[in-house]
Amino acid sequence: MKTIKAFAMSAAILLIMTNMESFGLEKSGNAVTEKTEILTPKPLAKPRINGPLVYGCRPGHPFIYRIPCQGERPIHFEVKGLPKELILDKKSGIITGKTPAKGEYDLILEAKNSKGNDERKLKLVAGDKLALTPPMGWNHWYAHYDRITDQMMREAADVMISSGMADVGYQFVNIDDCWMNAEKNNDPLRVGPLRNEQGNIIPNKHFPDMKGLTDYIHNKGLKAGIYTSPGPRTCGGFAGAWQHEEQDAQQFTNWGFDFLKYDWCSYGELAGEKVTLDGYQKPYRQMGKILKSKARDIVFNLCQYGMGDVWKWGGEVDAHCWRTGGDLGFELDRIFDVALKNAEIGQYNKPGEWNDPDYIQIGWIGNANKMGIPELTPMPVNMQYAYMSLWCLLAAPLIYSGDMSKLDGLTLSILCNHEVIGVNQDPLGKCGSVLKHNADCFIMVKNLADGSKSVGLFNRGKSAVDVTAEWAELQITGKHAVRDLWKQTDLGLYDQKFTAQVPSQGVVMIKISK
Ligand code: GLA
């Protein structure tokens, strides 16, 4: 609770002591003091409905959607235009039922409390496509590695609600590797038979009731994700789906999972040394087809580190997002390079098909090389703002992967700025393009559905500098309104250009509208 209150203290000045050696910043003694502030304003007491403006779902399948809404509870919800197959719980704002017949349904979501009311449009697109905006949620990997348990997953779902993350659109609670049995492992509770006599996969003893777990997550209006590999073993050495693909997909469906991460891992041993394009695609094409045949909306996340230019064919094998490179891991100073590389393949991003540069790792995260217990990220705070801004401008999946039980106010404020997230969830689904200004500075420009542009002014250098976005390079002319998205404040009308002082390794993120 304490941590959540800290978020409410927006504009509080934090004195952050961080070890910045690995980021090439000057330091005094062993640490540098960095003065920074929480930029995201405190949410208002009156309701504010967030979340995507379009939502893809498949006819006849189970439907679940929790209206993301900030503001003091209790909030009373209403929905205009709700198809008869769907039911709204007016207290929680959770919509359930069966997705109606193919078509587009224009809903008006309404929220009211003693302080005021809000409404927002949501277009349900019942058809073939899912993930019309980048998936948002949490994944256990960088916090808990092979220590993950059912209890931790439930706790993450609890915190997704209590922290307010779900109120800005975070939705998936995803298990990564290590929920199955292995033949060998240091933890005896994770060792056991991989499958039963019928060949059904057996979760390890830390996961005694998979259906109970997804029910728990669904009862909160959230969605559940799971992980496996097309190989005989996962990257962590646990049972993979090889030769049981259909059976495992059916099991995941029966358990009630809504998201599958499918990680290449030991499949490499089967694919051989010289893998053809067809060889890269084969296991994913197979699973994509299987998942599509199931009576459940399951978002399909490929994890094969970008091999065979996956961004060119991920959509074709019925995937919704795909990792574009190796694990981001603990070398977080790579975020700028990774983002720039992703921007180069940005043309492959579109609604329902997203490049995935890996998870958001801020707050308490573990060192992937050591499978370590979480520690507070050594990333400078300004770079954390840059990180979140880049992922939003790239239209990357927003999957947080830190320790949910240790969320602090600053981390939450960076994860939960609804205007910044709005850029990520924009229905046009464009990836930002990069205009390099010099060795240190660049801007990233993302066109938005309402005709405006979101622009990140980035500075990778060691000291603050002025960065200018010229209207000519943005291909606009005349007076435009500029809004600071992190601070959620209008900066005024600008003609020809906008200049801001950008902190070292940081960002200023704006929206430019006519
Ligand atoms: C690979 C993936 C990671 C994680 C681990 C689990 O390294 O890239 O994201 O899923 O496997 O073992």
Side-chain angles (χ1 to χ4, degrees):
M1 270 320 280
K2 235 197 257 161
T3 55
I4 294 154
K5 271 193 202 135
F7 176 38
M9 287 168 52
S10 83
I13 305 293
L14 299 180
L15 199 62
I16 307 288
M17 305 284 290
T18 56
N19 182 346
M20 297 181 184
E21 206 168 6
S22 55
F23 299 101
L25 292 186
E26 285 167 314
K27 59 177 194 134
S28 69
N30 286 329
V32 186
T33 54
E34 185 191 354
K35 218 175 170 198
T36 192
E37 56 182 326
I38 289 180
L39 301 177
T40 303
K42 174 184 168 182
L44 299 177
K46 65 177 193 176
R48 196 208 129 83
I49 304 177
N50 299 303
L53 296 168
V54 287
Y55 182 79
C57 38
R58 293 184 176 147
H61 290 190
F63 184 97
I64 186 158
Y65 185 81
R66 179 187 185 274
I67 300 171
C69 184
Q70 295 172 297
E72 245 172 54
R73 307 270 159 165
I75 294 176
H76 178 85
F77 292 92
E78 294 283 347
V79 176
K80 288 203 181 108
L82 196 65
K84 62 177 186 329
E85 294 84 350
L86 300 178
I87 304 156
L88 167 72
D89 180 310
K90 295 184 178 186
K91 281 192 188 147
S92 62
I94 300 172
I95 306 172
T96 52
K98 285 234 176 303
T99 298
K102 189 171 184 309
E104 295 192 354
Y105 301 84
D106 289 312
L107 313 187
I108 297 176
L109 313 176
E110 297 173 339
K112 196 173 171 185
N113 66 10
S114 60
K115 303 286 167 32
N117 59 302
D118 191 25
E119 64 171 50
R120 187 175 174 89
K121 288 182 182 162
L122 174 64
K123 189 190 282 295
L124 291 188
V125 184
D128 211 25
K129 293 210 152 196
L130 303 178
L132 291 178
T133 61
M136 291 178 67
W138 176 82
N139 169 291
H140 95 248
W141 187 244
Y142 287 120
H144 305 301
Y145 302 111
D146 58 358
R147 299 180 300 275
I148 189 64
T149 64
D150 170 287
Q151 191 50 40
M152 286 167 165
M153 294 305 302
R154 289 176 196 239
E155 183 178 36
D158 293 345
V159 175
M160 195 173 278
I161 302 289
S162 64
S163 65
M165 284 177 73
D167 297 338
V168 291
Y170 292 90
Q171 185 185 42
F172 287 99
V173 182
N174 292 354
I175 317 176
D176 205 278
D177 201 351
C178 312
W179 59 267
M180 327 73 167
N181 275 319
E183 274 155 7
K184 272 196 246 154
N185 193 266
N186 291 337
D187 176 356
L189 297 181
R190 291 180 206 270
V191 178
L194 308 186
R195 295 178 179 275
N196 68 13
E197 276 171 14
Q198 290 77 44
N200 291 328
I201 185 123
I202 305 176
N204 65 46
K205 295 205 173 64
H206 291 288
F207 289 89
D209 180 4
M210 284 303 221
K211 181 70 173 67
L213 175 57
T214 64
D215 283 348
Y216 186 87
I217 293 170
H218 291 150
N219 283 337
K220 293 174 184 292
L222 302 174
K223 297 185 175 190
I226 195 157
Y227 165 105
T228 190
S229 167
R233 288 175 317 283
T234 66
C235 296
F238 292 78
W242 186 56
Q243 291 186 325
H244 294 274
E245 296 82 359
E246 166 65 41
Q247 195 171 11
D248 285 359
Q250 188 56 49
Q251 180 68 85
F252 301 155
T253 309
N254 296 349
W255 280 337
F257 282 99
D258 312 288
F259 187 108
L260 175 67
K261 174 173 173 182
Y262 208 36
D263 196 348
W264 180 265
C265 302
S266 64
Y267 188 86
E269 295 162 18
L270 307 172
E273 258 172 37
K274 276 205 173 145
V275 188
T276 60
L277 182 59
D278 187 51
Y280 283 128
Q281 294 176 342
K282 196 173 156 201
Y284 292 99
R285 198 183 287 289
Q286 178 194 28
M287 185 53 86
K289 211 168 152 203
I290 294 173
L291 290 181
K292 238 183 144 179
S293 73
K294 301 294 166 210
R296 208 175 164 83
D297 291 355
I298 301 178
V299 171
F300 188 28
N301 174 208
L302 311 191
C303 180
Q304 47 82 288
Y305 338 116
M307 295 182 304
D309 291 352
V310 63
W311 41 88
K312 295 185 179 157
W313 50 266
E316 197 198 302
V317 301
D318 291 317
H320 303 101
C321 44
W322 38 82
R323 278 268 298 280
T324 52
D327 295 12
L328 200 51
F330 208 60
E331 295 140 60
L332 295 170
D333 50 341
R334 287 196 302 133
I335 59 146
F336 286 110
D337 293 326
V338 167
L340 291 171
K341 184 186 159 230
N342 273 264
E344 282 171 21
I345 49 172
Q347 84 252 37
Y348 298 100
N349 253 34
K350 55 165 106 52
E353 302 181 21
W354 310 104
N355 288 327
D356 172 8
D358 210 358
Y359 304 134
I360 302 280
Q361 299 172 73
I362 58 175
W364 289 75
I365 53 163
N367 183 336
N369 296 327
K370 298 184 189 148
M371 305 275 271
I373 52 167
E375 44 187 282
L376 195 56
T377 178
M379 181 182 271
V381 176
N382 286 324
M383 200 192 278
Q384 297 183 38
Y385 281 109
Y387 192 168
M388 185 71 185
S389 306
L390 286 165
W391 264 233
C392 287
L393 287 159
L394 290 168
L398 287 184
I399 309 282
Y400 178 56
S401 192
D403 189 335
M404 295 287 273
S405 72
K406 291 201 177 91
L407 273 174
D408 59 279
L410 176 71
T411 305
L412 268 172
S413 76
I414 295 174
L415 291 173
C416 294
N417 185 310
H418 64 79
E419 293 202 17
V420 173
I421 290 172
V423 170
N424 176 270
Q425 294 290 301
D426 185 76
L428 210 53
K430 292 280 179 209
C431 174
S433 47
V434 172
L435 299 165
K436 281 205 174 126
H437 286 181
N438 56 46
D440 286 339
C441 300
F442 66 93
I443 64 175
M444 193 180 277
V445 187
K446 183 182 196 295
N447 291 336
L448 304 176
D450 66 2
S452 65
K453 289 175 193 288
S454 177
V455 180
L457 300 96
F458 293 92
N459 168 24
R460 302 181 67 165
K462 291 183 185 172
S463 44
V465 285
D466 282 354
V467 180
T468 298
E470 302 272 357
W471 277 198
E473 64 182 338
L474 301 177
Q475 294 169 348
I476 56 174
T477 52
K479 280 198 176 134
H480 279 74
V482 175
R483 184 168 172 85
D484 184 314
L485 295 184
W486 279 109
K487 294 183 182 160
Q488 299 179 1
T489 48
D490 289 328
L491 300 177
L493 286 177
Y494 288 77
D495 209 353
Q496 293 179 10
K497 64 181 180 187
F498 171 80
T499 302
Q501 195 187 61
V502 182
S504 161
Q505 298 193 311
V507 64
V508 170
M509 188 169 168
I510 55 171
K511 184 168 174 174
I512 304 179
S513 337
K514 191 78 185 157

